[in-house]
Amino acid sequence: MSVTAPAGFAAAGVTAGLKKSGGLDLALVQNLGPLTSAATVFTINRCQANPVIWSRQVMADGVVSAIVLNSGGANCYTGRIGFQTTHATAEAVAARLDISAGDVLVCSTGLIGEQLDLDKLRAGVWEASLALQGDVAASREAGLAAATAIMTTDTTPKQAEHRSPAGWTIGGMAKGAGMLAPGLATMLVVITTDAVLDSARLDTALRQATRLTFDRLDSDGCMSTNDTVSLLASGASGIDADEAEFADALTELCRDLTLQLQADAEGAAHDVAIEVVNALSETEAVTVARAVSRSNLFKAAIYGNDPNWGRVLAAVGTVSEADATFDPYGIDVAINGVHVCTAGEPDEPRELVDLSARAVSVVIDLHAGAETATIWTNDLTHDYVEENSAYSS
């Protein structure tokens, strides 16, 4: 039931006229309390959109009462008027919900360099605020509408929830289909919980979960200007969650959303999990796996149903000795369970590898230690090129 699964939250998704398609394009999520603690992780791209600049300021005190998100325009590189539009949108939400504008996160997604229509944003906020006052605001339908309103090139809304035996709940929604690369993978994500947790504990749990999930998604190597992952706690369950249990549940929910993002990546025909095992450290495992995930030669081979393990090793070899320890001629590679390479030499015939299914598993054994990490990526297809040369918001 997405962001409306936990108690203490209301959501709405409306049409503000920002999308050329005329579909839902503005979402509003309100934290009804009694707590309004929050944590947020932003893109590490130095070229950041106005909503990210604004929301960083909001997060200074770890208090968030509402978050407004729009598709149909990224509000990035839109000059001073763009930041004023973000500020005015937060003020419109604050006025309608009787809260402080300094407690309103703003997120935008769409084309970079195009101004958003402030009048349409204000009208959308008005309509969404009216929807929050109804009985449906905390329903599954409201959560779905909000998740749909933040979609751009996504083909389906992305939602997840977890209900703890202890009595608290986590819910989440996400958008993202292109520019999927770490720090963060290009996305807008809103996660809600009715557990009793302060902003410091939320921040610790969110950063751990992000590191193991969203930052392990590297679909096309392109980092966005607008990435924002927010975690809001209402405390409405009255239950002080065990920190370790909450962190584990949050990580699993984020992994669920990550895999939904991967499955909906622009033009993808294969979902590829690149697992590096027996690395000297987790960091080195991530570095090696990411090098393979960013090889266009490897990704094109997977699209062509060609288990070309030579391209895997060629990509591994781009990692410097300073960044990962391994013997270049002591590496094993398995693709969909077939051991095509052992100790840097051909093993089972590559013709045994079946790439007809969407899911592809690549396991790279470095024989250098005991650490493991997985990077999720996709193949490189004609459809991806077409979508990114003939796109619109």
Side-chain angles (χ1 to χ4, degrees):
M1 202 164 63
S2 189
V3 293
T4 53
F9 290 94
V14 301
T15 299
L18 301 170
K19 280 183 179 175
K20 295 177 181 178
S21 66
L24 298 174
D25 54 18
L26 186 139
L28 184 57
V29 179
Q30 183 179 11
N31 184 348
L32 301 171
L35 296 181
T36 53
S37 52
T40 301
V41 178
F42 298 100
T43 179
I44 62 172
N45 194 319
R46 291 173 60 193
C47 301
Q48 298 184 351
N50 291 303
V52 172
I53 297 171
W54 166 266
S55 294
R56 284 186 180 278
Q57 298 173 8
V58 170
M59 285 306 303
D61 61 0
V63 174
V64 172
S65 298
I67 178 168
V68 58
L69 313 93
N70 74 269
S71 53
N75 195 4
C76 180
Y77 283 101
T78 49
R80 292 182 180 180
I81 188 65
F83 187 81
Q84 293 168 5
T85 296
T86 296
H87 190 173
T89 302
E91 289 182 329
V93 172
R96 291 297 301 163
L97 302 184
D98 193 23
I99 57 178
S100 169
D103 295 337
V104 179
L105 294 177
V106 181
C107 299
S108 300
T109 182
L111 294 181
I112 294 172
E114 292 190 0
Q115 295 285 358
L116 285 170
D117 189 318
L118 180 56
D119 289 337
K120 290 181 178 179
L121 283 168
R122 284 174 169 155
V125 167
W126 177 280
E127 184 178 349
S129 66
L130 292 177
L132 289 184
Q133 299 173 20
D135 295 335
V136 179
S139 69
R140 183 180 299 273
E141 291 75 15
L144 177 60
T148 303
I150 61 176
M151 293 167 51
T152 50
T153 57
D154 306 65
T155 64
T156 183
K158 300 159 183 69
Q159 304 180 93
E161 66 178 86
H162 170 84
R163 297 185 181 275
S164 167
W168 47 265
T169 300
I170 308 176
M173 67 179 186
K175 68 79 51 182
M179 296 182 74
L180 291 171
L184 301 160
T186 301
M187 60 183 63
L188 298 181
V189 179
V190 179
I191 303 170
T192 57
T193 182
D194 52 18
V196 177
L197 290 166
D198 60 28
S199 58
R201 289 187 289 171
L202 291 176
D203 185 76
T204 298
L206 182 60
R207 291 184 184 280
Q208 173 183 311
T210 299
R211 180 179 67 82
L212 296 174
T213 60
F214 298 130
D215 277 345
R216 300 284 176 88
L217 177 60
D218 201 334
S219 178
D220 59 7
C222 298
M223 184 190 298
S224 173
T225 55
N226 290 63
D227 302 338
T228 306
V229 177
S230 300
L231 172 59
L232 315 181
S234 69
S237 70
I239 300 170
D240 193 342
D242 176 80
E243 291 183 39
E245 180 189 356
F246 181 82
D248 288 345
L250 179 64
T251 299
E252 284 304 310
L253 181 132
C254 291
R255 181 177 288 110
D256 185 340
L257 291 173
T258 297
L259 295 179
Q260 291 184 53
L261 292 167
Q262 180 196 27
D264 198 26
E266 291 174 345
H270 292 89
D271 300 328
V272 186
I274 302 171
E275 182 183 13
V276 173
V277 301
N278 296 319
L280 191 61
S281 69
E282 180 185 351
T283 299
E284 293 189 8
V286 169
T287 300
V288 171
R290 199 178 304 288
V292 178
S293 77
R294 292 192 171 181
S295 167
N296 284 339
L297 284 174
F298 163 73
K299 292 155 73 77
I302 295 300
Y303 172 58
N305 294 329
D306 178 9
N308 189 338
W309 56 268
R311 292 183 176 179
V312 174
L313 292 183
V316 172
T318 65
V319 178
S320 71
E321 291 184 33
D323 291 328
T325 299
F326 57 82
D327 176 359
Y329 295 95
I331 300 173
D332 302 343
V333 178
I335 302 178
N336 281 357
V338 179
H339 294 271
V340 289
C341 170
T342 299
E345 297 183 4
D347 194 340
E348 298 181 81
R350 58 195 285 177
E351 291 77 18
L352 296 179
V353 180
D354 183 2
L355 293 177
S356 60
R358 186 175 179 97
V360 176
S361 167
V362 178
V363 179
I364 303 165
D365 192 336
L366 297 183
H367 293 288
E371 297 300 319
T372 299
T374 299
I375 294 292
W376 296 288
T377 189
N378 306 93
D379 53 354
L380 178 60
T381 71
H382 298 292
D383 288 344
Y384 176 84
V385 176
E386 174 65 24
E387 185 155 350
N388 285 281
S389 60
Y391 57 85
S392 68
S393 62

